[in-house]
Amino acid sequence: MVALIAACVCSSLIVSLTATAAMRRLAPRWGFVDRPSARKIHVAPIALGGGVGIWLGIVLPISCAQIGAAVLQRLPETPAWFPGDLARHLAGMNARAGQVWLILAAATVISALGLLDDLQNLGWRPKLLVQFALASGLVMGGIRATVFVAAPWVGGALTVLWIVVLTNAFNFLDNMDGLSAGMGLIAAVLFAMIMLTGTSEPRWFVASFLLILAGSLAGFLVHNWPPARIFMGDTGSCLIGLLLACLTVTGTFYDYEQSNRYVMLAPGCVLAVPLYDFCSVVMIRLAQGRSPFHADKWHFSHRLVTLGLSRRYAVLTIYLITLTTGLGGLLLYQVRGWFGAGLVVAFVLALLLVVAILEAAGYRREAGKDPELS
């Protein structure tokens, strides 16, 4: 187990680290930079293209692993040097190869769309249309949740919505150095832990994918940690959201042998902060009569800065809140009965309420409505 985890994380980390370093040098030469503006917090042009490094850190290791698995299975017998623990998973890897290539294809399309948006600033309508089409294609390809409902269309519709919302949630989170990548890293590690320890048998297919995603994000964060030397852009942020959405649907959180249905709440706990930030920002913008996709500084991270935190500490605070809600998701596998699950959900909701109070306090301070905060 340790060897496989190390192989997944290290391979993707090295590719992402190297590719992102290359993009740091090449992007300014190509004029591919993010320039300061009224809605942005950086004051100097920063290289774009970090999302390309993240994409390569995911696609290259997984493609090599899938091709290698296909070749090994065609051999008369497994080579002696190949670990026995992994040999018994070769058949399963090849059986799900179709899902792997489908997810990688979707990841490539969403990254290409993000790259085009980074270059030409596309409108939100065509982007949303492509996202819905892509999510629908994934559902028709078998990436769907059942949610314990007999009617298949219900699970399909909810899966499409889940993919589109998470894709945009992580795009929204890309508003401070290290924020979206760090949140994706935390979520990927927590979900991998659930896949490996939360069920009666380790779910290596999804866990390996998640660990590769985590390694790629870690490699990118070396360059993006405040103060950032490169940004991921929509190329990377939409990719993170789409992959986490697909993998949480593909991963089986419910275990018929030892789990109750309430463990299906685990993804919501792990991703509570990104979902809260997305929903609250959309509601604020609609209440102000603006497009829900009009970029501004109304995110939770901005509210923390308004309260006096530095940008780095604002990001670290959000990391810790995400880790706390995510640990609540892990705790669901330890409680017994809906009462215990209800306590975990109540804990997560109470924490989000604290977030809402902080956001409201930041708004009042900025607007000068609360003299005690001025």
Side-chain angles (χ1 to χ4, degrees):
M1 177 185 290
V2 175
L4 181 57
I5 292 174
C8 291
V9 174
C10 292
S11 61
S12 56
L13 187 150
I14 291 170
V15 173
S16 175
L17 184 66
T18 305
T20 305
M23 289 302 299
R24 278 180 58 190
R25 289 177 171 82
L26 295 174
R29 299 179 189 176
W30 298 336
F32 191 30
V33 296
D34 191 0
R35 303 189 183 279
S37 67
R39 65 179 180 83
K40 297 176 181 179
I41 61 175
H42 59 282
V43 295
I46 302 292
L48 280 168
V52 176
I54 296 172
W55 177 80
L56 285 171
I58 295 165
V59 171
L60 284 183
I62 293 177
S63 298
C64 291
Q66 281 300 134
I67 294 170
V71 170
L72 285 171
Q73 195 174 29
R74 287 188 175 91
L75 295 177
E77 59 181 30
T78 305
W81 52 264
F82 194 74
D85 289 343
L86 296 183
R88 62 190 183 93
H89 293 291
L90 283 176
M93 287 180 63
N94 288 303
R96 303 188 72 172
Q99 283 189 331
V100 173
W101 293 117
L102 178 62
I103 294 173
L104 289 183
T108 301
V109 171
I110 202 69
S111 292
L113 178 68
L115 182 62
L116 184 61
D117 186 38
D118 292 334
L119 290 169
Q120 299 187 8
N121 194 22
L122 302 174
W124 64 269
R125 290 181 179 85
K127 290 192 294 183
L128 197 61
L129 180 63
V130 173
Q131 290 171 7
F132 270 105
L134 198 58
S136 300
L138 285 164
V139 169
M140 289 187 288
I143 309 297
R144 64 164 65 220
T146 60
V147 295
F148 299 108
V149 177
W153 69 267
V154 175
L158 289 175
T159 303
V160 169
L161 185 62
W162 177 249
I163 293 172
V164 172
V165 167
L166 267 191
T167 299
N168 286 285
F170 275 87
N171 187 25
F172 278 26
L173 279 174
D174 190 26
N175 57 68
M176 281 190 183
D177 298 348
L179 183 55
S180 188
M183 297 279 278
L185 174 58
I186 293 170
V189 170
L190 289 171
F191 283 132
M193 290 176 63
I194 291 175
M195 292 294 100
L196 294 176
T197 64
T199 54
S200 57
E201 286 289 332
R203 310 292 167 84
W204 279 110
F205 170 73
V206 177
S208 299
F209 212 133
L210 287 162
L211 290 169
I212 288 172
L213 172 60
S216 184
L217 292 175
F220 168 75
L221 270 172
V222 172
H223 302 278
N224 186 243
W225 185 251
R229 281 90 70 195
I230 190 170
F231 292 156
M232 67 170 69
D234 286 11
T235 311
S237 60
C238 292
L239 171 65
I240 298 169
L242 180 133
L243 285 178
L244 284 174
C246 290
L247 294 172
T248 51
V249 169
T250 307
T252 305
F253 292 89
Y254 175 69
D255 189 334
Y256 287 93
E257 295 185 17
Q258 63 180 34
S259 299
N260 291 303
R261 291 187 177 184
Y262 53 72
V263 298
M264 297 296 293
L265 298 171
C269 292
V270 175
L271 297 169
V273 174
L275 292 172
Y276 169 79
D277 183 69
F278 174 79
C279 294
S280 61
V281 168
V282 167
M283 290 171 58
I284 289 171
R285 291 171 182 173
L286 290 175
Q288 294 175 346
R290 297 184 292 115
S291 164
F293 295 95
H294 178 77
D296 54 28
K297 294 182 179 179
W298 290 96
H299 296 276
F300 177 40
S301 55
H302 297 134
R303 300 280 69 80
L304 290 177
V305 171
T306 301
L307 287 171
L309 273 69
S310 67
R311 294 168 189 169
R312 178 176 296 188
Y313 281 113
V315 170
L316 288 173
T317 298
I318 297 174
Y319 283 178
L320 289 173
I321 295 173
T322 302
L323 182 60
T324 304
T325 63
L327 292 175
L330 288 174
L331 189 60
L332 285 172
Y333 287 84
Q334 306 302 320
V335 301
R336 293 291 178 266
W338 281 97
F339 178 75
L343 289 178
V344 173
V345 172
F347 165 76
V348 171
L349 292 176
L351 193 57
L352 293 179
L353 182 59
V354 173
V355 170
I357 292 171
L358 289 172
E359 284 194 316
Y363 168 76
R364 289 195 299 270
R365 177 173 182 172
E366 189 174 82
K369 295 180 179 179
D370 192 340
E372 294 183 3
L373 296 173
S374 59

